[in-house]
Amino acid sequence: MRSLPRSAAAGSFARSLSRLLRSGGLMAAVVLYTLYSALPFAWVGTMSVRTTSEISAAHFAWPETFHWDKFRTAWVDSNFAQYFWNSTVVVVSAVAIVTLLGAAAAHCLARYNFRGNRLVYFVLFSSIVFPPQIILISLFQVLVEYDLYNSRLGLTLVYVSLQLPLTVYLLEGFFARIPQDLFDAAKMDGYSDLEIFWRIVVPVGMPAIATTVILNFIQLWNEFLFAVVLLSDQDARTLPLGIRAYMGDYFQDIGMIATGMMIAVIPVVVIYAFFSEKLIQGMTAGAVK
Amino acid sequence: MAAVHLEHICKRYRGTAQPAVDDVSLAVRDGEFMVLLGPSGCGKSTTLRMIAGLESISDGRLTIGGRQVNDVPAKDRDIAMVFQSYALYPHMTVADNLAFGLRRRKVPAAEIDARVRSAASVLGLGALLERKPYALSGGQRQRVALGRAIVREPKAFLFDEPLSNLDAALRVRTRNELVRLHKQLDATMIYVTHDQVEAMTMGQRICVMNNGRVAQTGKPLDVYRSPADAFVARFLGNPPMNVLKATVAARDGRPAARLAGGWLPLSRWDGAGLPDGDVLVGMRPEEVVLQEPRTTAEGLRGTVCGVEPLGAETLLLVELEGGAGEVTARVHRDVALAVGDEVGLGVAEAGIYLFDAATEQAIAAKEEQPA
């Protein structure tokens, strides 16, 4: 059997090595980033079943005993059940309203050529630029005036106003790419504007809508600043405020903070798992014709 | 089926001085296949959309089946449209796409099912009813779009460049299928295209549009043989008609057109009816014949500046003497000429067209003038 000439063999080896380095390098980068993202989460997970004194003695140790009763303590004794319910009511309501209003507004801005269309879009878009903190005091005063301070309804309305501009901005871009012919065809089929919105725009735009649902849910579920300013009663607290209660001026109950965080993260994981396929579709929609 | 009549239809958009559609009058007979042909921006799609009810009509009168429909919503005009992009609902199966319009009209479920199956059978979609549009080829999507129109059993079908997105081979096949479908359904069809091959092969009559106006309406071959103006003459025909500036003069007592590159006889025209001075002379590439460059009394002389062998024939591009312009001639595939060769070109008198230099309107020959 004839062997390869020396130069050809060297070239083949170089190509194989280059391929190995490229795929190995890529794999190394993926592993590193996964560790960077997942390790802190895993660490909080381990701390959630360890006591604060165990954590103080050895910060990163694997639990010797799994203190599952901490979750019961947080849920019952520390009133996390109530906080979880408050967060659920406020965030689910806010996300539902934002999604409905945002999708409808985005559809109108993307599809109808009315006077002031671009002005409305610009006003909505420009409100994204400003940090929400600058409206905090004004919001406080408005809610007090309308008896909405320290209420779930008040916080829900604030969350809707905070997330609506970004939602409209994201959806408007996607909806504008839906071909006009689809709407013309539906019009000729006899459907009204509202029916076209429900039967065509919402199903076709579901990847983008799912994206905004996930982003809004994650943002609002973890929202702390507006909640701490606009809620004062203990029973009205949302989960982030409940976790905050474990932080004193001189002592922080690290173990219970970690337990509270694990309780808080479960719905986010569920929502993401449920909508993630649509999220990826939404992110890549239009990338390839 | 029904006749569609457009009477002095205009469409003006706010902020533009020039109307997109300007005084268009057209009578499409019941069961006729009418093609609206023209370049991009000529107003043909806008006209079609006004017929469909997707655009409002600024002026004029539109009737379908004898009923004025200017202010009638699109859904109530009993018209079906096939779009260039097919406009299939991506989240619905083929069956649902076909049934969508019927469900809105509260057609009984059994009848919807029957119509869907019938259309699917006619168009060969039976095995595809449960697929979604993303799982279909271009040709299959086109047939679903067609099926969606057929199940409506409308008074007229409108087509907005439906074959543009298909490859060449599929376009030819689908073209023939549409012609067959027209015969089968005996339907009134109005078809918009910029492709003259589609217009010539599919239309019973064609309406050539330019700058929002109707340039000419008639049977395809009639329009091809007797173009009303230089625009229609150039637009129909591939390669387009050669149109050259010339001066009317007398030669041996007969009217003739003098170009820098030679003479062309105008015996078919009444000398008294010819304008003084400049005219436009037209000749189709297939009418141009080669002749000896130095010995011809009549004809044109020039130099070959391009040779395009197409296989079945060859196209010669000839730069005429004296800067008179460029002429494209369709010659036999075995003609052995190269760039730089001197050639003589002749045209039979029957192949010469004449247009007014200012208005570009065709000047009728003696035999074409009314008695």
Side-chain angles (χ1 to χ4, degrees):
Chain A
M1 187 172 79
R2 285 182 63 186
S3 57
L4 285 171
R6 198 179 275 178
S7 57
S12 172
F13 174 74
R15 277 193 298 275
S16 301
L17 185 62
S18 161
R19 243 193 322 260
L20 184 67
L21 281 173
R22 268 202 306 269
S23 61
L26 192 61
M27 189 56 64
V30 167
V31 166
L32 273 173
Y33 186 76
T34 304
L35 288 174
Y36 170 74
S37 305
L39 273 178
F41 184 76
W43 185 33
V44 170
T46 57
M47 284 197 294
S48 70
V49 290
R50 300 172 73 205
T51 62
T52 304
S53 51
E54 285 173 352
I55 295 167
S56 303
H59 303 322
F60 303 105
W62 185 256
E64 284 178 18
T65 313
F66 284 77
H67 297 282
W68 299 110
D69 57 302
K70 288 178 67 190
F71 284 89
R72 195 204 61 81
T73 305
W75 191 258
V76 177
D77 301 339
S78 303
N79 216 14
F80 262 56
Q82 180 65 46
Y83 304 154
F84 193 95
W85 174 246
N86 293 340
S87 277
T88 303
V89 167
V90 168
V91 173
V92 168
S93 305
V95 169
I97 297 169
V98 162
T99 304
L100 189 63
L101 286 182
H107 171 61
C108 289
L109 289 172
R111 200 52 51 187
Y112 298 105
N113 215 357
F114 56 89
R115 201 187 288 267
N117 178 308
R118 290 298 92 186
L119 179 65
V120 169
Y121 180 77
F122 175 74
V123 167
L124 272 171
F125 179 69
S126 59
S127 66
I128 299 173
V129 173
F130 296 107
Q133 290 83 356
I134 63 173
I135 59 167
L136 199 49
I137 295 171
S138 316
L139 266 179
F140 174 84
Q141 290 174 324
V142 168
L143 289 190
V144 166
E145 184 155 337
Y146 288 96
D147 267 340
L148 290 171
Y149 171 73
N150 197 33
S151 73
R152 289 193 293 224
L153 176 61
L155 190 63
T156 303
L157 293 175
V158 166
Y159 281 175
V160 168
S161 69
L162 285 177
Q163 297 304 111
L164 198 57
L166 188 64
T167 303
V168 171
Y169 170 69
L170 288 175
L171 292 179
E172 197 267 353
F174 189 91
F175 289 172
R177 293 209 302 268
I178 300 175
Q180 177 63 34
D181 283 352
L182 277 188
F183 299 96
D184 290 342
K187 224 187 262 187
M188 295 199 69
D189 278 338
Y191 288 88
S192 65
D193 287 339
L194 193 58
E195 286 169 321
I196 290 173
F197 173 70
W198 279 118
R199 288 171 173 267
I200 308 292
V201 178
V202 169
V204 172
M206 193 48 72
I209 292 172
T211 303
T212 58
V213 165
I214 292 176
L215 293 178
N216 286 336
F217 187 89
I218 292 172
Q219 183 128 354
L220 294 178
W221 189 260
N222 296 320
E223 202 287 316
F224 177 81
L225 177 64
F226 285 85
V228 78
V229 169
L230 301 175
L231 298 172
S232 57
D233 279 356
Q234 189 174 350
D235 283 343
R237 281 179 189 166
T238 54
L239 266 175
L241 270 58
I243 296 170
R244 172 72 176 83
Y246 289 126
M247 300 176 195
D249 289 339
Y250 302 102
F251 172 72
Q252 294 188 8
D253 193 342
I254 302 287
M256 288 310 293
I257 291 171
T259 307
M261 285 170 68
M262 290 308 291
I263 292 173
V265 90
I266 291 166
V268 175
V269 171
V270 166
I271 289 284
Y272 183 79
F274 188 72
F275 282 102
S276 64
E277 192 189 318
K278 296 285 182 197
L279 172 69
I280 291 165
Q281 277 181 30
M283 284 178 173
T284 57
V288 177
K289 194 173 179 182
Chain B
M1 288 303 140
V4 178
H5 287 238
L6 291 82
E7 294 168 29
H8 306 292
I9 295 288
C10 290
K11 176 67 183 178
R12 280 179 217 93
Y13 289 106
R14 197 169 48 199
T16 56
Q18 176 79 9
V21 175
D22 192 4
D23 194 22
V24 165
S25 293
L26 187 65
V28 182
R29 294 188 279 268
D30 187 352
E32 184 177 30
F33 197 125
M34 168 68 77
V35 176
L36 302 184
L37 173 69
S40 297
C42 71
K44 56 190 188 297
S45 289
T46 308
T47 303
L48 195 79
R49 289 173 64 84
M50 283 193 284
I51 298 171
L54 298 172
E55 294 276 358
S56 58
I57 298 171
S58 303
D59 273 318
R61 195 164 169 263
L62 172 68
T63 61
I64 298 173
R67 173 181 157 231
Q68 181 162 334
V69 295
N70 284 44
D71 298 316
V72 174
K75 62 183 177 72
D76 297 326
R77 294 191 184 191
D78 205 5
I79 269 189
M81 188 155 170
V82 179
F83 295 85
Q84 183 177 354
S85 64
Y86 320 136
L88 300 185
Y89 306 118
H91 56 297
M92 296 183 194
T93 61
V94 168
D96 287 335
N97 263 279
L98 296 178
F100 192 60
L102 299 177
R103 288 190 188 127
R104 184 64 183 87
R105 282 166 167 72
K106 309 267 193 286
V107 174
E111 193 180 332
I112 292 177
D113 191 55
R115 286 201 209 177
V116 165
R117 292 199 184 282
S118 168
S121 161
V122 165
L123 295 166
L125 296 172
L128 306 175
L129 287 174
E130 295 311 310
R131 283 203 204 170
K132 292 228 175 117
Y134 66 80
L136 303 176
S137 68
Q140 289 168 338
R141 289 183 201 178
Q142 185 53 264
R143 281 186 273 146
V144 176
L146 207 46
R148 201 168 60 182
I150 289 173
V151 297
R152 292 266 309 274
E153 294 176 0
K155 286 206 182 96
F157 289 84
L158 307 178
F159 297 89
D160 189 2
E161 306 200 49
L163 308 185
S164 309
N165 294 341
L166 303 178
D167 61 72
L170 194 52
R171 204 179 300 164
V172 172
R173 227 173 34 237
T174 312
R175 210 166 67 207
N176 295 331
E177 279 179 21
L178 277 175
V179 171
R180 205 169 31 243
L181 201 64
H182 173 247
K183 287 197 178 83
Q184 191 178 336
L185 299 176
D186 194 23
T188 305
M189 290 185 176
I190 303 175
Y191 187 102
V192 158
T193 183
H194 62 272
D195 186 319
Q196 53 174 302
V197 175
E198 286 175 20
M200 294 293 289
T201 56
M202 299 173 77
Q204 288 173 317
R205 280 198 301 156
I206 62 175
C207 172
V208 184
M209 293 184 67
N210 184 32
N211 288 332
R213 292 183 150 260
V214 172
Q216 188 172 0
T217 306
K219 292 184 184 168
L221 280 179
D222 291 344
V223 175
Y224 184 84
R225 288 171 184 155
S226 303
D229 60 25
F231 165 76
V232 175
R234 284 193 195 98
F235 194 80
L236 281 180
N238 191 23
M241 180 185 284
N242 301 293
V243 178
L244 305 166
K245 267 204 190 119
T247 309
V248 175
R251 187 178 160 86
D252 300 332
R254 292 177 301 157
R258 189 181 66 210
L259 297 86
W263 290 87
L264 289 171
L266 298 178
S267 309
R268 286 172 53 224
W269 282 268
D270 181 1
L274 289 173
D276 294 326
D278 292 341
V279 284
L280 296 175
V281 174
M283 64 207 88
R284 292 214 180 269
E286 59 268 25
E287 304 283 357
V288 177
V289 295
L290 295 177
Q291 54 194 31
E292 282 302 312
R294 292 292 168 202
T295 59
T296 1
E298 277 181 349
L300 305 171
R301 287 177 298 280
T303 308
V304 175
C305 62
V307 179
E308 294 177 8
L310 301 178
E313 60 191 6
T314 295
L315 296 181
L316 271 182
L317 282 72
V318 178
E319 183 75 40
L320 296 178
E321 276 182 7
E326 200 174 275
V327 166
T328 304
R330 201 179 248 156
V331 300
H332 193 271
R333 62 175 179 259
D334 292 335
V335 165
L337 282 169
V339 172
D341 288 349
E342 277 188 28
V343 290
L345 303 173
V347 190
E349 287 202 47
I352 296 175
Y353 296 80
L354 216 55
F355 305 97
D356 186 284
T359 64
E360 294 202 354
Q361 293 298 306
I363 301 172
K366 278 182 278 194
E367 69 272 14
E368 291 163 358
Q369 286 176 6

